[in-house]
Amino acid sequence: MTGEARLTPPGFVDPKARSEFIRLGTIVFLTAMTNQQAVILAVVWQEAGFSHADIGILLGVYGVPLVLASLFSGAAANRFGLLPTVRLGAVLTTFGLVSLYFTHESFAGSFASRIVQGAGFALFHAPVMTYGTTRLTQDRFIQLFGLLSAMAPLPYAFGPVVAEYLFHAFGPRTFFLAGSLPGLLALPLLWTLRPVEKAEPQVGGMRALLSSGRITLPMIAACVFGAMFGFVSAFMAPVMLERGLSIGAFFTSFTLSIFIVRLGLLGPLETIDRRLVVAGGAVVLALGLTLAALANSLPMAIAAGLVFGMGHSIGFPVLSAWICDGTPPEARATPLALFNATFFAAIYLIALPASLAIARFGYPPVMIATASTGLVLAVGLTVAWYRRFR
């Protein structure tokens, strides 16, 4: 055994990779923290005198560049390199928020800022996760990748509270400057990471990937997971408020559950068939959404958040690993870009049909119907797994 092999921590490609991985997690957390300050933009624009229709457009338009740029972030990373694409995405994400310092009182200006922010986070997210996979070996891959991907939603545990305090205590301009600070702190760290080789043009092409039957099941699962997560993102706050419950009861427990599960419980799942793991995650996710539909007390809301977070933590990193199976590390930008584009599209597309259904049937029936898609997915994946042995 060589000296370098003895010094290499388990799960990492070389002795320097663990330090890079820690810095990468910090970068993801800080950039996501800036991006998530947008949770109170509706309040900012309301106080600026915008109509509800204008606010709805400004909130929703973020999803258009997010999905489109996610779809093409893999091609950009393959052409220009992973780190240049990540750096560009981080700069645009941070600039998109800080530019609202100047544009938040103008509809056209706010529209442009949101386009920049959405495109930036899309160019950042899939390539940064791809770069993270290049620091890892298959040993402990799901556990370590799960920790990295948990850094993006982690700010939800306290980000909305911080954003609300900054805005109400100091006003919108100070809020935008302070909210951009985490992203600005992340930027120098991006220049401390080692570059990786570009993927060859013929490797990981989008057309070849789309025609590959191996991605069908994980992409269907991405739609279902995205739809359930999108419902929670769009409607869980009004559900809790309608019942006189704290929003934080669900979202804080949900976020902490994500982090705790990925910190210690993903290791045993490394050797289990992807279909069974994702099926189990879908069942737990559906149970969490069902508990939320029935929650009429604080303990039930907390329990719903914990269970929903557990399901998301089990399924999301395994799905990300599943769609990359058999792909060289430097070429994973394309499958992860397709996965992220599908996931983000499901998050935003669920809002309109769900809102129409809620207006007619109310929250609980629609939440239970949405949860049932997770059970259908679980059955389908289990059947697909069983057929392997016939």
Side-chain angles (χ1 to χ4, degrees), residues 7-291:
L7 293 173
T8 300
F12 295 97
V13 294
D14 59 41
K16 296 181 180 179
R18 181 165 65 178
S19 172
E20 287 181 308
F21 192 78
I22 292 171
R23 275 175 277 152
L24 197 66
T26 303
I27 290 165
V28 172
F29 171 79
L30 290 172
T31 305
M33 182 71 177
T34 282
N35 192 58
Q36 289 177 13
Q37 298 299 300
V39 294
I40 68 160
L41 283 180
V43 180
V44 174
W45 287 321
Q46 187 174 18
E47 295 203 4
F50 288 20
S51 68
H52 288 295
D54 285 347
I55 292 173
I57 292 171
L58 292 174
L59 291 175
V61 73
Y62 171 86
V64 177
L66 182 69
V67 172
L68 293 179
S70 291
L71 192 60
F72 295 105
S73 63
N78 288 340
R79 181 175 179 82
F80 303 109
L82 281 170
L83 275 181
T85 306
V86 170
R87 290 165 182 163
L88 175 62
V91 168
L92 292 177
T93 299
T94 304
F95 177 77
L97 186 73
V98 76
S99 67
L100 285 164
Y101 176 92
F102 303 101
T103 65
H104 71 276
E105 294 179 333
S106 159
F107 177 83
S110 296
F111 190 96
S113 294
R114 290 292 278 164
I115 291 289
V116 170
Q117 188 179 4
F121 195 69
L123 289 173
F124 171 81
H125 191 263
V128 82
M129 294 299 163
T130 304
Y131 182 86
T133 69
T134 69
R135 306 298 89 185
L136 305 175
T137 65
Q138 286 304 307
D139 180 32
R140 300 175 64 208
F141 180 87
I142 292 178
Q143 182 182 27
L144 292 172
F145 184 80
L147 278 175
L148 179 64
S149 61
M151 294 298 104
L154 184 59
Y156 273 123
F158 50 85
V161 177
V162 173
E164 185 178 18
Y165 169 77
L166 288 171
F167 175 68
H168 289 298
F170 302 106
R173 296 190 186 280
T174 300
F175 158 70
F176 288 123
L177 292 178
S180 302
L181 184 60
L184 292 171
L185 292 174
L187 293 179
L189 291 175
L190 281 167
W191 272 264
T192 69
L193 303 174
R194 291 175 293 172
V196 296
E197 293 183 6
K198 296 180 184 178
E200 294 295 330
Q202 70 271 22
V203 178
M206 185 68 74
R207 183 179 299 177
L209 188 63
L210 288 171
S211 63
S212 170
R214 74 173 185 83
I215 71 165
T216 301
L217 286 177
M219 294 304 290
I220 292 173
C223 290
V224 174
F225 273 73
M228 285 196 277
F229 185 79
F231 186 96
V232 164
S233 300
F235 300 110
M236 194 54 64
V239 168
M240 295 291 105
L241 292 175
E242 183 182 81
R243 299 172 184 179
L245 301 174
S246 168
I247 297 174
F250 180 89
F251 282 105
T252 300
S253 61
F254 160 68
T255 309
L256 293 177
S257 176
I258 286 179
F259 189 73
I260 292 169
V261 170
R262 295 186 188 181
L263 184 64
L265 300 182
L266 288 181
L269 303 180
E270 300 276 356
T271 58
I272 302 176
D273 189 283
R274 309 283 200 220
R275 283 160 286 204
L276 292 182
V277 177
V278 174
V283 171
V284 178
L285 205 65
L287 177 59
L289 191 54
T290 302
L291 286 174

